[in-house]
Amino acid sequence: MMTPLHKQLLNDYQRNFPLSPTPYQDIATELGVSEIEVINALTELNETDVITRIGPVIPPNRIGVSTLAAMAVPEAQLHDIAQIVSAYPEVNHNYEREHRFNLWFVIIASGAGHLQQVIARIEQQTGYSVMSLPLVDDYFIDLSFRMDLHDC
Amino acid sequence: MIVDVKDRQLLEAFQQGLAISPRPYADLGNRLGLSENEVIERLDRLKQAGLIKRLGVIVRHRKLGYRANAMVVWDIPDEQAREFGRRISSFEFVTLCYRRPRHGAGWPYNLYCMIHGKNRETVLEQLSVLEQACKLSGFKREILFSRRCFKQRGAIYQNAAPLIQPALANG
């Protein structure tokens, strides 16, 4: 069950999390509650997997090289191929989407050579080709947005 | 800005998640041999330089009832992509917008945006508002709703990364 404090933490602290020695105390002061309440609420959100973590979002291609990759695989094999792809530590955000290209994932590697290597190994291991769509221009990468949590 | 080895180690450790305890930056520093002060100063500098785009709680939208997620792709003349991209980005329900290369006849799309909503109907309504306002209706377009999520993890870059790139204004 979500309390008003949970909801405030979720919507108001996706960005500009305090960079101070006592960030949870700072948040508590801003919200008029105690530090332990903030810590408990965030721990609950973390343990129930509502948040994945508190941390930074790093823009693509600033440190390392990344690409968006897609594969078109038969429905019957999708689950197995998705498991193969997900097993790569370089892969994140692996999703099934409704399209002929039905498997979409992001690869992050240390450099262009490493990225090519990962793509080649996935192709070899699965027997299907990987369409690589590296970023050309970024108009907006934020990933924080205001959620309507009234019915949570 | 020069990103040194310590900065990179710090970002790597920080991406694993900040401790939910009273002095989390001190805890982070202890693991790396940095003082609390140094951790905060370095992170502040990385944030100013744009190497940290955002700092805060990272939410699983699906857990909060935002189950519909559409990747919408258009085939727009390259020279107009930036202008359309800017317009699309101004909508609050749009969480990502970028240009990527086309890929042969089977994938002629170059402009992408991501829309999150509680259900498919909401997302489609938002898309229709967006397309009307941005005058996007004449272009070839597809909507790719997500089905299963096989893996969701933050953009944790690899430990092996030897590459240190100077921060340029626009990446």
Side-chain angles (χ1 to χ4, degrees), chain B residues 67-70 93 115-129 143 145:
Chain B
R67 300 192 185 282
N69 159 254
F93 50 79
I115 302 176
H116 282 276
K118 293 209 169 183
N119 56 54
R120 187 179 283 251
E121 291 68 40
T122 316
V123 169
L124 291 173
E125 274 165 34
Q126 288 169 328
L127 175 60
S128 111
V129 168
I143 307 167
F145 276 100

PDB file of all heavy atoms in Angstrom, chain B residues 67-70 93 115-129 143 145:
ATOM      1  N   ARG B  67       1.525   0.245 -17.688  1.00  0.00           N
ATOM      2  CA  ARG B  67       1.813  -1.018 -18.350  1.00  0.00           C
ATOM      3  C   ARG B  67       1.952  -0.876 -19.853  1.00  0.00           C
ATOM      4  O   ARG B  67       2.462  -1.772 -20.512  1.00  0.00           O
ATOM      5  CB  ARG B  67       0.717  -2.040 -18.032  1.00  0.00           C
ATOM      6  CG  ARG B  67       0.640  -2.265 -16.557  1.00  0.00           C
ATOM      7  CD  ARG B  67      -0.213  -3.452 -16.153  1.00  0.00           C
ATOM      8  NE  ARG B  67      -0.289  -3.479 -14.711  1.00  0.00           N
ATOM      9  CZ  ARG B  67       0.678  -3.915 -13.926  1.00  0.00           C
ATOM     10  NH1 ARG B  67       1.782  -4.395 -14.446  1.00  0.00           N
ATOM     11  NH2 ARG B  67       0.566  -3.862 -12.615  1.00  0.00           N
ATOM     12  N   ALA B  68       1.438   0.206 -20.393  1.00  0.00           N
ATOM     13  CA  ALA B  68       1.516   0.360 -21.850  1.00  0.00           C
ATOM     14  C   ALA B  68       2.707   1.240 -22.205  1.00  0.00           C
ATOM     15  O   ALA B  68       2.891   2.321 -21.657  1.00  0.00           O
ATOM     16  CB  ALA B  68       0.235   0.976 -22.386  1.00  0.00           C
ATOM     17  N   ASN B  69       3.523   0.729 -23.067  1.00  0.00           N
ATOM     18  CA  ASN B  69       4.716   1.456 -23.489  1.00  0.00           C
ATOM     19  C   ASN B  69       4.839   1.289 -24.991  1.00  0.00           C
ATOM     20  O   ASN B  69       4.940   0.173 -25.481  1.00  0.00           O
ATOM     21  CB  ASN B  69       5.937   0.880 -22.748  1.00  0.00           C
ATOM     22  CG  ASN B  69       7.229   1.186 -23.460  1.00  0.00           C
ATOM     23  OD1 ASN B  69       7.828   0.318 -24.077  1.00  0.00           O
ATOM     24  ND2 ASN B  69       7.618   2.424 -23.416  1.00  0.00           N
ATOM     25  N   ALA B  70       4.754   2.403 -25.697  1.00  0.00           N
ATOM     26  CA  ALA B  70       4.842   2.332 -27.151  1.00  0.00           C
ATOM     27  C   ALA B  70       6.098   3.025 -27.649  1.00  0.00           C
ATOM     28  O   ALA B  70       6.402   4.140 -27.234  1.00  0.00           O
ATOM     29  CB  ALA B  70       3.616   2.977 -27.792  1.00  0.00           C
ATOM     30  N   PHE B  93       4.116  13.459 -21.848  1.00  0.00           N
ATOM     31  CA  PHE B  93       4.045  11.994 -21.833  1.00  0.00           C
ATOM     32  C   PHE B  93       5.131  11.333 -22.672  1.00  0.00           C
ATOM     33  O   PHE B  93       5.251  10.112 -22.697  1.00  0.00           O
ATOM     34  CB  PHE B  93       2.652  11.516 -22.273  1.00  0.00           C
ATOM     35  CG  PHE B  93       2.171  12.145 -23.562  1.00  0.00           C
ATOM     36  CD1 PHE B  93       2.625  11.691 -24.780  1.00  0.00           C
ATOM     37  CD2 PHE B  93       1.264  13.191 -23.527  1.00  0.00           C
ATOM     38  CE1 PHE B  93       2.188  12.259 -25.976  1.00  0.00           C
ATOM     39  CE2 PHE B  93       0.812  13.773 -24.713  1.00  0.00           C
ATOM     40  CZ  PHE B  93       1.282  13.312 -25.932  1.00  0.00           C
ATOM     41  N   ILE B 115       6.371   6.535 -25.544  1.00  0.00           N
ATOM     42  CA  ILE B 115       5.241   7.042 -24.759  1.00  0.00           C
ATOM     43  C   ILE B 115       4.843   5.981 -23.731  1.00  0.00           C
ATOM     44  O   ILE B 115       4.599   4.826 -24.088  1.00  0.00           O
ATOM     45  CB  ILE B 115       4.025   7.366 -25.661  1.00  0.00           C
ATOM     46  CG1 ILE B 115       4.402   8.400 -26.725  1.00  0.00           C
ATOM     47  CG2 ILE B 115       2.854   7.881 -24.814  1.00  0.00           C
ATOM     48  CD1 ILE B 115       3.284   8.695 -27.723  1.00  0.00           C
ATOM     49  N   HIS B 116       4.810   6.377 -22.457  1.00  0.00           N
ATOM     50  CA  HIS B 116       4.364   5.492 -21.381  1.00  0.00           C
ATOM     51  C   HIS B 116       2.954   5.879 -20.969  1.00  0.00           C
ATOM     52  O   HIS B 116       2.662   7.064 -20.811  1.00  0.00           O
ATOM     53  CB  HIS B 116       5.235   5.661 -20.125  1.00  0.00           C
ATOM     54  CG  HIS B 116       6.556   4.985 -20.202  1.00  0.00           C
ATOM     55  ND1 HIS B 116       6.730   3.662 -19.912  1.00  0.00           N
ATOM     56  CD2 HIS B 116       7.777   5.456 -20.536  1.00  0.00           C
ATOM     57  CE1 HIS B 116       8.001   3.343 -20.050  1.00  0.00           C
ATOM     58  NE2 HIS B 116       8.664   4.406 -20.428  1.00  0.00           N
ATOM     59  N   GLY B 117       2.082   4.912 -20.755  1.00  0.00           N
ATOM     60  CA  GLY B 117       0.740   5.213 -20.269  1.00  0.00           C
ATOM     61  C   GLY B 117       0.200   4.044 -19.477  1.00  0.00           C
ATOM     62  O   GLY B 117       0.779   2.958 -19.475  1.00  0.00           O
ATOM     63  N   LYS B 118      -0.947   4.283 -18.796  1.00  0.00           N
ATOM     64  CA  LYS B 118      -1.497   3.207 -17.975  1.00  0.00           C
ATOM     65  C   LYS B 118      -2.099   2.104 -18.839  1.00  0.00           C
ATOM     66  O   LYS B 118      -2.152   0.963 -18.450  1.00  0.00           O
ATOM     67  CB  LYS B 118      -2.549   3.771 -17.025  1.00  0.00           C
ATOM     68  CG  LYS B 118      -1.887   4.701 -16.001  1.00  0.00           C
ATOM     69  CD  LYS B 118      -2.605   4.755 -14.693  1.00  0.00           C
ATOM     70  CE  LYS B 118      -1.706   5.473 -13.699  1.00  0.00           C
ATOM     71  NZ  LYS B 118      -2.237   5.534 -12.363  1.00  0.00           N
ATOM     72  N   ASN B 119      -2.589   2.467 -20.004  1.00  0.00           N
ATOM     73  CA  ASN B 119      -3.122   1.444 -20.901  1.00  0.00           C
ATOM     74  C   ASN B 119      -2.951   1.891 -22.346  1.00  0.00           C
ATOM     75  O   ASN B 119      -2.583   3.022 -22.630  1.00  0.00           O
ATOM     76  CB  ASN B 119      -4.591   1.147 -20.575  1.00  0.00           C
ATOM     77  CG  ASN B 119      -5.418   2.419 -20.627  1.00  0.00           C
ATOM     78  OD1 ASN B 119      -5.401   3.135 -21.634  1.00  0.00           O
ATOM     79  ND2 ASN B 119      -6.113   2.722 -19.546  1.00  0.00           N
ATOM     80  N   ARG B 120      -3.233   0.954 -23.227  1.00  0.00           N
ATOM     81  CA  ARG B 120      -3.034   1.157 -24.645  1.00  0.00           C
ATOM     82  C   ARG B 120      -3.891   2.313 -25.196  1.00  0.00           C
ATOM     83  O   ARG B 120      -3.421   3.102 -26.018  1.00  0.00           O
ATOM     84  CB  ARG B 120      -3.408  -0.170 -25.324  1.00  0.00           C
ATOM     85  CG  ARG B 120      -3.139  -0.261 -26.771  1.00  0.00           C
ATOM     86  CD  ARG B 120      -3.552  -1.634 -27.252  1.00  0.00           C
ATOM     87  NE  ARG B 120      -2.584  -2.635 -26.879  1.00  0.00           N
ATOM     88  CZ  ARG B 120      -1.771  -3.234 -27.763  1.00  0.00           C
ATOM     89  NH1 ARG B 120      -1.854  -2.970 -29.041  1.00  0.00           N
ATOM     90  NH2 ARG B 120      -0.896  -4.111 -27.359  1.00  0.00           N
ATOM     91  N   GLU B 121      -5.132   2.399 -24.715  1.00  0.00           N
ATOM     92  CA  GLU B 121      -6.038   3.444 -25.218  1.00  0.00           C
ATOM     93  C   GLU B 121      -5.465   4.831 -24.913  1.00  0.00           C
ATOM     94  O   GLU B 121      -5.472   5.709 -25.768  1.00  0.00           O
ATOM     95  CB  GLU B 121      -7.427   3.319 -24.568  1.00  0.00           C
ATOM     96  CG  GLU B 121      -8.213   2.082 -24.997  1.00  0.00           C
ATOM     97  CD  GLU B 121      -7.611   0.772 -24.493  1.00  0.00           C
ATOM     98  OE1 GLU B 121      -7.149   0.749 -23.334  1.00  0.00           O
ATOM     99  OE2 GLU B 121      -7.565  -0.206 -25.270  1.00  0.00           O
ATOM    100  N   THR B 122      -4.983   5.010 -23.673  1.00  0.00           N
ATOM    101  CA  THR B 122      -4.412   6.309 -23.307  1.00  0.00           C
ATOM    102  C   THR B 122      -3.233   6.658 -24.203  1.00  0.00           C
ATOM    103  O   THR B 122      -3.100   7.782 -24.685  1.00  0.00           O
ATOM    104  CB  THR B 122      -3.888   6.261 -21.845  1.00  0.00           C
ATOM    105  OG1 THR B 122      -4.845   5.607 -21.043  1.00  0.00           O
ATOM    106  CG2 THR B 122      -3.586   7.631 -21.314  1.00  0.00           C
ATOM    107  N   VAL B 123      -2.382   5.672 -24.412  1.00  0.00           N
ATOM    108  CA  VAL B 123      -1.190   5.921 -25.229  1.00  0.00           C
ATOM    109  C   VAL B 123      -1.595   6.320 -26.648  1.00  0.00           C
ATOM    110  O   VAL B 123      -1.056   7.266 -27.227  1.00  0.00           O
ATOM    111  CB  VAL B 123      -0.269   4.679 -25.233  1.00  0.00           C
ATOM    112  CG1 VAL B 123       0.822   4.823 -26.281  1.00  0.00           C
ATOM    113  CG2 VAL B 123       0.338   4.466 -23.856  1.00  0.00           C
ATOM    114  N   LEU B 124      -2.587   5.625 -27.208  1.00  0.00           N
ATOM    115  CA  LEU B 124      -3.018   5.932 -28.572  1.00  0.00           C
ATOM    116  C   LEU B 124      -3.664   7.317 -28.652  1.00  0.00           C
ATOM    117  O   LEU B 124      -3.463   8.044 -29.630  1.00  0.00           O
ATOM    118  CB  LEU B 124      -3.983   4.850 -29.082  1.00  0.00           C
ATOM    119  CG  LEU B 124      -3.326   3.487 -29.336  1.00  0.00           C
ATOM    120  CD1 LEU B 124      -4.371   2.434 -29.682  1.00  0.00           C
ATOM    121  CD2 LEU B 124      -2.269   3.576 -30.436  1.00  0.00           C
ATOM    122  N   GLU B 125      -4.408   7.673 -27.601  1.00  0.00           N
ATOM    123  CA  GLU B 125      -4.993   9.026 -27.569  1.00  0.00           C
ATOM    124  C   GLU B 125      -3.902  10.079 -27.526  1.00  0.00           C
ATOM    125  O   GLU B 125      -3.956  11.093 -28.227  1.00  0.00           O
ATOM    126  CB  GLU B 125      -5.875   9.193 -26.316  1.00  0.00           C
ATOM    127  CG  GLU B 125      -7.297   8.707 -26.494  1.00  0.00           C
ATOM    128  CD  GLU B 125      -7.996   8.545 -25.146  1.00  0.00           C
ATOM    129  OE1 GLU B 125      -7.704   9.334 -24.216  1.00  0.00           O
ATOM    130  OE2 GLU B 125      -8.816   7.605 -25.027  1.00  0.00           O
ATOM    131  N   GLN B 126      -2.906   9.842 -26.671  1.00  0.00           N
ATOM    132  CA  GLN B 126      -1.807  10.804 -26.556  1.00  0.00           C
ATOM    133  C   GLN B 126      -1.065  10.927 -27.883  1.00  0.00           C
ATOM    134  O   GLN B 126      -0.704  12.018 -28.311  1.00  0.00           O
ATOM    135  CB  GLN B 126      -0.848  10.360 -25.444  1.00  0.00           C
ATOM    136  CG  GLN B 126      -1.458  10.568 -24.060  1.00  0.00           C
ATOM    137  CD  GLN B 126      -0.670   9.907 -22.956  1.00  0.00           C
ATOM    138  OE1 GLN B 126      -0.048   8.862 -23.161  1.00  0.00           O
ATOM    139  NE2 GLN B 126      -0.703  10.495 -21.773  1.00  0.00           N
ATOM    140  N   LEU B 127      -0.872   9.799 -28.536  1.00  0.00           N
ATOM    141  CA  LEU B 127      -0.184   9.816 -29.823  1.00  0.00           C
ATOM    142  C   LEU B 127      -0.975  10.624 -30.846  1.00  0.00           C
ATOM    143  O   LEU B 127      -0.401  11.398 -31.616  1.00  0.00           O
ATOM    144  CB  LEU B 127       0.034   8.377 -30.320  1.00  0.00           C
ATOM    145  CG  LEU B 127       0.638   8.237 -31.707  1.00  0.00           C
ATOM    146  CD1 LEU B 127       2.005   8.901 -31.779  1.00  0.00           C
ATOM    147  CD2 LEU B 127       0.749   6.763 -32.104  1.00  0.00           C
ATOM    148  N   SER B 128      -2.280  10.483 -30.828  1.00  0.00           N
ATOM    149  CA  SER B 128      -3.060  11.202 -31.824  1.00  0.00           C
ATOM    150  C   SER B 128      -3.019  12.719 -31.549  1.00  0.00           C
ATOM    151  O   SER B 128      -2.943  13.520 -32.483  1.00  0.00           O
ATOM    152  CB  SER B 128      -4.465  10.608 -31.921  1.00  0.00           C
ATOM    153  OG  SER B 128      -5.424  11.479 -31.437  1.00  0.00           O
ATOM    154  N   VAL B 129      -3.013  13.085 -30.276  1.00  0.00           N
ATOM    155  CA  VAL B 129      -2.844  14.509 -29.925  1.00  0.00           C
ATOM    156  C   VAL B 129      -1.499  15.017 -30.441  1.00  0.00           C
ATOM    157  O   VAL B 129      -1.391  16.074 -31.068  1.00  0.00           O
ATOM    158  CB  VAL B 129      -2.925  14.695 -28.382  1.00  0.00           C
ATOM    159  CG1 VAL B 129      -2.457  16.084 -27.961  1.00  0.00           C
ATOM    160  CG2 VAL B 129      -4.343  14.422 -27.897  1.00  0.00           C
ATOM    161  N   ILE B 143       3.692   1.812 -34.733  1.00  0.00           N
ATOM    162  CA  ILE B 143       3.632   1.825 -33.274  1.00  0.00           C
ATOM    163  C   ILE B 143       4.025   0.436 -32.793  1.00  0.00           C
ATOM    164  O   ILE B 143       3.408  -0.548 -33.195  1.00  0.00           O
ATOM    165  CB  ILE B 143       2.200   2.119 -32.776  1.00  0.00           C
ATOM    166  CG1 ILE B 143       1.653   3.388 -33.426  1.00  0.00           C
ATOM    167  CG2 ILE B 143       2.170   2.226 -31.258  1.00  0.00           C
ATOM    168  CD1 ILE B 143       0.147   3.556 -33.224  1.00  0.00           C
ATOM    169  N   PHE B 145       4.131  -1.544 -29.543  1.00  0.00           N
ATOM    170  CA  PHE B 145       3.861  -1.692 -28.108  1.00  0.00           C
ATOM    171  C   PHE B 145       4.762  -2.778 -27.538  1.00  0.00           C
ATOM    172  O   PHE B 145       5.070  -3.764 -28.218  1.00  0.00           O
ATOM    173  CB  PHE B 145       2.396  -2.073 -27.873  1.00  0.00           C
ATOM    174  CG  PHE B 145       1.468  -0.894 -27.842  1.00  0.00           C
ATOM    175  CD1 PHE B 145       0.704  -0.564 -28.946  1.00  0.00           C
ATOM    176  CD2 PHE B 145       1.370  -0.110 -26.692  1.00  0.00           C
ATOM    177  CE1 PHE B 145      -0.158   0.527 -28.932  1.00  0.00           C
ATOM    178  CE2 PHE B 145       0.514   0.979 -26.664  1.00  0.00           C
ATOM    179  CZ  PHE B 145      -0.249   1.301 -27.782  1.00  0.00           C
TER     180      PHE B 145
END
